[in-house]
Every structure is written in C-alpha cells, then in structure tokens.
Amino acid sequence: MARRSSADMEKTRQILLEQGILLLQESGYNATGIQEIATSAQIPKGSFYNYFSSKEDFAAAVIRYYASKSLAEWLGFLKEAAANDDPRQVLYSSFLAATEKYRCVTLKKGCLLGTLAAEISEVSEVCRFALQESISEFKTVLSEQLLLGQQTGAVRKDIEAQRLADFIWDSWQGSLLRMKVIKSVDPVQENLEIVFNNLLKP
Amino acid sequence: MARRSSADMEKTRQILLEQGILLLQESGYNATGIQEIATSAQIPKGSFYNYFSSKEDFAAAVIRYYASKSLAEWLGFLKEAAANDDPRQVLYSSFLAATEKYRCVTLKKGCLLGTLAAEISEVSEVCRFALQESISEFKTVLSEQLLLGQQTGAVRKDIEAQRLADFIWDSWQGSLLRMKVIKSVDPVQENLEIVFNNLLKP
C-alpha cells in the first residue's frame, strides 16, 4: 500500500481531533475507547497509533485543540465588541456572544474544559496539565482586558485583575454546569449580569 | 436460603449507596457498570436488581443520598457558625468549613453534584431531575440565610436573595472544578473571599 501523504495524515489527525471533541463531550474520558475513536474517524484501530501514542495523549491533544479553537472564537467576539469604548461592556458583550451558541441547541454540552475538569483531573496528569495550560491562556486574555478596564476606570480597582479573571472564569464555568442541569442558558446570563453590572463596577 | 431480613436489606442498600458515591466520583456514570457496583458491595450482580431497577435508578438514588448527607453536614456548619451575629459571616464560615475537608486530601474529588452535572445531564433525564432537585434544596437554605442577611443589613439588598443564591452556588461549583485542575483549595478560598467580602457587602 502506498505511504499516505503528510497532507492526508494531517487531515485524518484533524478529523480525529474533531471527533474527539464530540466523543469526550458525549461520553467523557473514561467511557470512550480507542476503538470508538478510530471508528468515528473511519480508520482501523491500529492506525490510531500513527497519530497518538495513547488515549491519554489523544485526550490531551483534544483539550489543546478545543481550547485554541474556542480562544480564537472568543478573540473574534472581543474584536467585534471593541467598537464600544467601555472595556467592561466589551468583555460583557464577548461573553454574551459566547453564550448565544448554547441558546438554540437542545443538547447544551457546555464547555469541554469544564466537563473534563470534573472527570479527568484525578485520572490523568497529562490531561490535567493540558487543562491547566488551556485555562491559563483564556485567563491571560481576560486579565489583560480587565486591567485595561481598571486603567480607564470602567472596572473596580480594589481587586487585582488576575484575581478578578480567576473569579470570572470559575463562576462562568459553574453557570455552564447549571445550564446543563436545567437545560437553559438563564444561569449563564444571570451570572454575567451580576458579574458585569454589579461585581466589576467601580 | 433464608429470606434476608429487611434490616439486612437496608444495610446492603446503604453499602451500595456509599460505594456508589466513590465509584461515580472516581470513574463517572458512563464508565461505571452494574457488575462493578455489585462487586464493590460484595453482592452478586443479580442481587443488585433487588435494590435498584437499573443503573440510572441507582445513580439517581446516589445523587439524592449524597445531597442529603452533604446538606446535613452543611447545616451542621451553619449551626456551629451561628454564634456569630452577622448572617453574612455565618454563611462565610459555613462555606470555609465545608472547604476544609478538601484541604488535606491529595485526591480533591470536589462535589459529586458538580462532577455529575458535567457528565450526566445529557445522558439521563432521571438523574438530571435528581440533580436539579438536590441543588434546589441547597439553594433554598442559602437563599433563606441571604434573606436574613438582607433583613439585618449585612447583605446587599439590590439583588434578590434567590438570584444571589444561584450566583453563589454556581461560582462555588466553578471554583471546585478549578480546585480539581490545580489540585489546590486556593481557588475555592479566593472565590469565597470575593463573594463574601466584596460582592455581598451592602
């Protein structure tokens, strides 16, 4: 059989990662097997190991892939909202835009980073580090925006931007959890309203 | 074989529920099988059905059992803290006490309700309702304490107690998720500090 081109390899790797997002969101890490991952990408089980050395290695790659896609999407929302002069409103709008994608879907999957944080942190150190790094990337952007808000007077200054970023990330993730439980985006919107219209106000 | 007494049955049911907490916290819902549940309680697989009609029925019972145990524990913390006159400080102390149990364990399992919310909400309606009801019970107590705080002037009045309770529950759960990712109780403590010393202040 002819050796597969690197473009073909890259395409299959991409399909595996995309299918990985769906499988990990649907069944979680423990209940997803390599056979199932391979089947979903229409490759033989043995070929899986041409791409990833183990399920753990695969899951860590899915985490990083999902995080970089989501971060790019959120940076897009931030850019769109930047016409507004108030950095607090810019951030608020970007979070509301990120919430919109959950509104019209029946299955409210929430954020894969939060879903896996609940399950994977005790099972795999490799995945835990991938989660930790991915979450840090989001919080770096969040913290920069908050600092900008503090400099322009739009955001309270008595709590450091980094601590506010931690708090906002956590409460956002918590509200996404409750969104899944009650099958409604209301918890997320109410959370954002309290954060941006009350907590962050100077 | 002699018919087992109802006291024996009750004892085995209790063991199944306790083991269920451990198994669901460790492997999640999807990856835990009835055989494993039965083995952990040292009963034959067939006997499992004398207690629960299905894995789903079992998981919903574990959720309710875990929630009622945790709620009783938290009510104890609230009672201990009630010597303090300030209802905001009473609540703060009760949450700090609830955090203490995570400090000295290496495996920071977090709250089973949050862990399962991430995984189970799309898989089982029966479990989703059990989670929803269990979370509501906590929030009813939380809301009553916040209302008391609002009446005595210890808690801000411009956001309704029920909305504050929703917000506190969500951000607490989010901070427990990050505790799992970074293996430290710091996120939980920092979250509580911002909630009780900043957001809730009148």
Side-chain angles (χ1 to χ4, degrees), chain A residues 27 30-31 108-109 117-118 121-122 125 128 132 139 156 166 170-171 174 178 180-181 183 191 198, chain B residues 27 30-31 108-109 117-118 121-122 125 128 132 139 156 166-167 170-171 174 178 180-181 183 198:
Chain A
S27 315
N30 290 308
K108 302 199 187 300
K109 293 180 191 297
S121 300
E122 291 143 36
E125 283 294 280
R128 193 171 72 78
Q132 211 168 318
K139 286 197 305 192
R156 69 190 297 163
D166 283 342
D170 291 348
S171 62
R178 202 156 58 84
K180 296 176 81 165
V181 175
K183 291 205 171 186
N191 179 284
N198 296 279
Chain B
S27 314
N30 290 308
K108 300 197 189 303
K109 292 180 192 298
S121 299
E122 291 144 36
E125 283 292 281
R128 192 171 71 78
Q132 210 168 320
K139 286 198 305 189
R156 71 189 297 163
D166 283 341
F167 185 84
D170 291 348
S171 62
R178 202 156 57 84
K180 297 176 80 165
V181 175
K183 291 204 171 187
N198 296 279

Side-chain angles (χ1 to χ4, degrees), chain B:
Chain B
M1 207 169 92
R3 198 188 160 90
R4 300 191 66 197
S5 71
S6 65
D8 274 355
M9 290 280 290
E10 190 45 44
K11 198 175 153 196
T12 304
R13 192 174 189 275
Q14 183 90 1
I15 294 171
L16 281 163
L17 292 172
E18 288 286 347
Q19 291 298 319
I21 294 176
L22 297 176
L23 289 170
L24 292 177
Q25 257 170 340
E26 206 176 290
S27 314
Y29 178 77
N30 290 308
T32 302
I34 289 176
Q35 178 64 68
E36 197 180 354
I37 298 162
T39 304
S40 75
Q42 299 180 296
I43 59 167
K45 186 177 175 184
S47 301
F48 172 87
Y49 297 99
N50 295 332
Y51 300 91
F52 303 98
S53 64
S54 61
K55 186 172 97 168
E56 193 177 25
D57 177 34
F58 172 69
V62 173
I63 289 168
R64 291 182 206 280
Y65 176 73
Y66 173 87
S68 78
K69 267 182 74 169
S70 303
L71 185 59
E73 186 187 52
W74 182 46
L75 288 171
F77 294 144
L78 270 176
K79 207 172 164 187
E80 272 173 37
N84 194 315
D85 285 337
D86 179 339
R88 182 161 52 84
Q89 288 300 328
V90 170
L91 259 185
Y92 191 8
S93 301
S94 74
F95 272 95
L96 286 175
T99 307
E100 275 311 299
K101 69 177 168 198
Y102 299 119
R103 185 183 303 280
C104 301
V105 288
T106 317
L107 275 184
K108 300 197 189 303
K109 292 180 192 298
C111 172
L112 184 66
L113 304 182
T115 303
L116 288 182
E119 186 195 4
I120 224 169
S121 299
E122 291 144 36
V123 184
S124 158
E125 283 292 281
V126 173
C127 293
R128 192 171 71 78
F129 285 127
L131 279 175
Q132 210 168 320
E133 280 179 21
S134 300
I135 293 171
S136 284
E137 284 169 20
F138 280 89
K139 286 198 305 189
T140 300
V141 178
L142 187 48
S143 184
E144 282 166 5
Q145 291 293 317
L146 288 164
L147 196 61
L148 191 68
Q150 288 179 327
Q151 283 160 356
T152 64
V155 172
R156 71 189 297 163
K157 291 177 185 160
D158 60 336
I159 307 175
E160 308 89 76
Q162 183 53 56
R163 286 186 65 212
L164 285 174
D166 283 341
F167 185 84
I168 294 171
W169 174 267
D170 291 348
S171 62
W172 160 259
Q173 287 295 327
S175 72
L176 288 171
L177 274 189
R178 202 156 57 84
M179 171 189 80
K180 297 176 80 165
V181 175
I182 70 169
K183 291 204 171 187
S184 158
V185 294
D186 290 353
V188 188
Q189 284 188 303
E190 283 163 20
N191 178 286
L192 293 175
E193 202 191 321
I194 290 183
V195 164
F196 287 97
N197 287 340
N198 296 279
L199 178 68
L200 291 189
K201 272 198 176 168

Side-chain angles (χ1 to χ4, degrees), chain A residues 47-186:
Chain A
S47 302
F48 172 87
Y49 297 99
N50 295 333
Y51 301 91
F52 303 99
S53 64
S54 62
K55 185 172 98 168
E56 194 177 24
D57 177 34
F58 171 70
V62 172
I63 288 167
R64 291 182 207 279
Y65 176 73
Y66 173 87
S68 78
K69 268 182 73 170
S70 303
L71 185 58
E73 186 186 54
W74 183 45
L75 288 171
F77 293 145
L78 271 176
K79 207 172 164 188
E80 271 173 38
N84 195 315
D85 285 337
D86 179 339
R88 181 161 53 84
Q89 288 300 328
V90 170
L91 259 185
Y92 191 7
S93 301
S94 74
F95 272 95
L96 286 176
T99 306
E100 276 309 301
K101 69 178 168 198
Y102 299 119
R103 185 184 302 280
C104 301
V105 288
T106 316
L107 277 183
K108 302 199 187 300
K109 293 180 191 297
C111 172
L112 184 66
L113 304 181
T115 303
L116 288 181
E119 186 194 4
I120 224 168
S121 300
E122 291 143 36
V123 183
S124 158
E125 283 294 280
V126 173
C127 292
R128 193 171 72 78
F129 285 128
L131 278 176
Q132 211 168 318
E133 280 178 21
S134 299
I135 293 171
S136 284
E137 284 170 19
F138 279 90
K139 286 197 305 192
T140 301
V141 177
L142 187 48
S143 185
E144 282 166 5
Q145 291 291 319
L146 288 164
L147 196 61
L148 191 68
Q150 287 179 327
Q151 283 159 355
T152 63
V155 171
R156 69 190 297 163
K157 290 178 185 160
D158 59 337
I159 307 175
E160 309 88 77
Q162 182 54 57
R163 287 186 64 212
L164 286 174
D166 283 342
F167 185 84
I168 294 172
W169 174 268
D170 291 348
S171 62
W172 161 259
Q173 286 295 327
S175 72
L176 287 171
L177 275 189
R178 202 156 58 84
M179 171 188 80
K180 296 176 81 165
V181 175
I182 71 169
K183 291 205 171 186
S184 157
V185 294
D186 290 353

